Amino acid sequence: SGSSKLTKITDGAVNFDGTGDYLSLADSADFDLAGNDFTMEAFVYHSSTNFVSYESIISQFVDSSGSDRAFVLETVGAGATSDLEFYYYDTSNNFVGPVQGTALQKNKWHHVAVCRSGSSIRIFIDGVGGTASSISVNIKNSTNAFTIGGNASGAGYWNGFISNARVINGTALYTTNFTPPFRTLTNVTNTKLLCCQSNTLAG
């Protein structure tokens, strides 16, 4: 059934408490998006607490001054729903955004993705794309840590679960509306990160 498939997708979900929890990886060339096509995606579930403004899902945006930020996929706006948006810096350190998605609801699993395909960048929620934005620049290469679930500008902590976070640098996996995945995500061509999938930790 659909529910059993969703259970498999969310089995390895990481629970973030909204008050300082996040996952962090050291900077890598894998996260240098430059002018490449890319896909960043995850399954997310916000807790029963209302959204607060700015809860980060995927980012390389740690620096609080803005001098070494690259990108952030986050919710913006407080309440029972919150808009999903993507912001980035270009190589001239100009702050660009938002790439606008529609609203996420609390207490519900959503598949979220942001994709760049050539000169177009777009957010998808549950397979439905928001308005495409134009992009003609390279995204800045930050030396910040890459984070999941928070520490965007030293804050922006996610309250809830994140599962199957995947970063693909070199391919725009979604360019039109699509049926969200019903299986755990896999290591497709140009996958640079795939995590939050297993309840078992290696010793």
Side-chain angles (χ1 to χ4, degrees), residues 31 33-34 36 38-41 54-61 69-76 83-90 95-102 113-116 120-125 131 133-135 137-140 146 167:
F31 307 129
L33 302 178
N36 302 337
F38 68 82
T39 304
M40 287 187 275
E41 64 184 314
Y54 310 113
E55 295 189 45
S56 172
I57 297 170
I58 296 173
S59 68
Q60 194 172 19
F61 214 77
R69 298 173 181 169
F71 54 81
V72 57
L73 178 65
E74 64 184 357
T75 54
V76 178
D83 290 342
L84 184 65
E85 300 180 1
F86 182 76
Y87 296 84
Y88 59 92
Y89 279 83
D90 66 19
F95 182 54
V96 186
V99 178
Q100 185 76 49
T102 54
V114 57
C115 295
R116 176 179 183 168
S120 178
I121 186 168
R122 195 175 185 193
I123 284 176
F124 294 87
I125 298 176
T131 301
S133 295
S134 177
I135 180 171
V137 297
N138 283 10
I139 293 177
K140 184 176 180 177
F146 176 95
V167 176

Side-chain angles (χ1 to χ4, degrees), residues 139-150:
I139 293 177
K140 184 176 180 177
N141 181 24
S142 172
T143 62
N144 278 188
F146 176 95
T147 63
I148 295 172

Side-chain angles (χ1 to χ4, degrees), residues 150-193:
N151 202 24
S153 303
Y157 299 109
W158 182 255
N159 190 341
F161 297 88
I162 298 176
S163 173
N164 280 257
R166 180 166 67 177
V167 176
I168 302 170
N169 189 354
T171 306
L173 203 58
Y174 313 115
T175 56
T176 60
N177 290 354
F178 61 94
T179 300
F182 286 109
R183 297 181 176 86
T184 52
L185 302 184
T186 59
N187 185 0
V188 299
T189 301
N190 291 323
T191 297
K192 305 303 180 183
L193 176 70

